[in-house]
Amino acid sequence: VAARGIDTPDALRAFLADPLDGLHDPALLPDAALLVERIRLARERDEVVLVFGDFDADGLTGLAILARALRALRLRAEPYVPSRLDEGHGLSLEAVRTAERLGARLIVTVDTGSSSGREIGAAAERGIDVIVTDHHRVPPVAPPALALVNAHRPDASYPDARLSGAGVAFKVAQLLVRELAATGPGGLEPFEPLDLADLAAIGTVADLAPVLGENRAIARLGLARLRTNAHAGLAALLARAGVVPARADLETIAFAIAPRLNAAGRVGDPMDAARLLLTDDPSEADALAERLEAANGERRELTRAAIADARGLVASGDGPILIRGAWPVGIVGLVASRLVDDTGRAAVVATDTGGVLRASCRSDGIVDLGAALEGCADLLERHGGHPGAAGFELLADRWDVFCERFRLVVEALAPAATAPDTGEEPDARRPLRVELALEPGAVDYGLLRDLARLEPTGPGHPEVLVAISGLIVVRVRAASGGHTQVTLRRERDVLDAIAFGRDDLPALLAEGDRVDVVARLASRTFGGFESLQLDVRDVAGHGAETALVAALAEAAIGRDSRAPSVVGATS
């Protein structure tokens, strides 16, 4: 854990402590007092409050968190999710008009609004206050909102600015219940904001927020709730995905729950997802989950076709990819993500919606997309996002000018190269981060339990990979789905291993081969019995001069005996 910045005993104790200890005081959020007083006034006046959430999983879960908290405080909270095609990202004028029709005097945004100055101004002209709760980059000119609850504000002093949109909503719910429940009307039913942690964890994971600091605390609390007492809508989604709740983890959120929520906004009705997250009726939840399942199937087919088309437009080179086509608006972000995976380059994918281009951008981990779009702001109709993911709208006739400007801005923002030019071709394989170099006998359940204390892992806090040297291949065989199963012998027993996506191994390994492997330690249950399993990420002949062995050696170098160990640490 020292390699992850947890390099003192105090830091380790904090990392392993009860997740409740990792939650910060929500009153430290910018404009927290203004938020509380305006919500208090809305309750006193019996006002309708329009809760506006973005149409992705982060915005949807954040909307559900805030709407549930406001309703628990006896406010009339009306959810609103915009159409991706007709309204796009950010607070929309249509939402402002809807608030006016409903008689709402207050709009609270979730996961959006920091760049919606024009729309907030339009609301003010109609006598409607707007409170923005968000986690995106704040533009140089802040929006004229009554309150801007965003830890990325230049004047913010909140201890952790890495929260997702749902994470901010979770903190706001904590704040409102703490400040207003005691002063509310008689007969308020008990309400625990921590019961919303499963929703907050989903938004955190879906938005690829780093699983560190307060986000890690939220993820731990959320997984505990998801595994034991998930909301009706989430339970229905898990059932549709064939996931046993007790075994849910962050991968479950990333690959089972989030795609189904996102599908509603991509190819269906995003309000279906909002209703799913707000209902406590299992029958309604099942019906809505079925709609999301159908939308997700349609999304898969559209995405496959669009990716195949987009790949044909990608030019060779090492700069950002900028392409435009005629794909469904809801899937261009997925196309951009796949192109980044294919090429290792940042990608901007735009689609024409009738003279206006809607684009999604994904970073390669180097390009700061938020900063890059700020450098092109005068060309754009709307824009917003993070360093890693962003989006914008652009008049179609400005595309070529935008592409030229974007490339120049990215080049200007690029960090100076530090690696010397050796004249050799770089290794195209993405390097593995190996943190423990082990002899075969050190791999046991004790080690697995110790490593499990580092869970959950995710962005910013990756899974732990270990290098194990000198294993003997006993058996290797192809498995369905392009995977390979391997049995490996150590001194007195064997280890089962599986290499996902490695259908080449049966041709490379033979019985009796002595190998070194990089793997994640896992546990599997079969026939009621539990056993250790290696989730293999790479394999090479024992002692071969390969990148694998170099990684193994690197893991063994520079160990500091003074650094804390997870083994034996107290929580």
Side-chain angles (χ1 to χ4, degrees), residues 38-59:
R38 185 60 184 88
I39 297 296
R40 188 195 309 274
L41 183 61
R43 186 169 64 182
E44 291 173 357
R45 293 175 174 174
D46 194 28
E47 292 178 343
V48 173
V49 179
L50 186 80
V51 183
F52 181 97
D54 199 13
F55 39 65
D56 64 10
D58 189 18

Side-chain angles (χ1 to χ4, degrees), residues 138-157:
V138 178
V141 178
L146 176 69
L148 176 56
V149 185
N150 187 331
H152 287 286
R153 280 174 44 169
D155 61 340
S157 58

Side-chain angles (χ1 to χ4, degrees), residues 83-106:
S83 162
R84 185 188 292 263
L85 176 62
D86 298 329
E87 297 168 80
H89 287 279
L91 179 62
S92 66
L93 292 175
E94 181 58 33
V96 173
R97 288 190 285 267
T98 298
E100 186 176 31
R101 286 195 298 271
L102 292 171
R105 312 317 304 162
L106 176 63

Side-chain angles (χ1 to χ4, degrees), residues 24-35:
H24 300 299
D25 183 356
L28 298 175
L29 287 167
D31 286 349
L34 288 173
L35 165 78

Side-chain angles (χ1 to χ4, degrees), residues 427 429 431-432 434 518 538 540 544-553:
D427 187 346
R429 293 190 308 167
L432 295 171
V434 178
V518 169
D538 203 0
E545 292 298 327
T546 64
L548 170 64
V549 175
L552 188 154

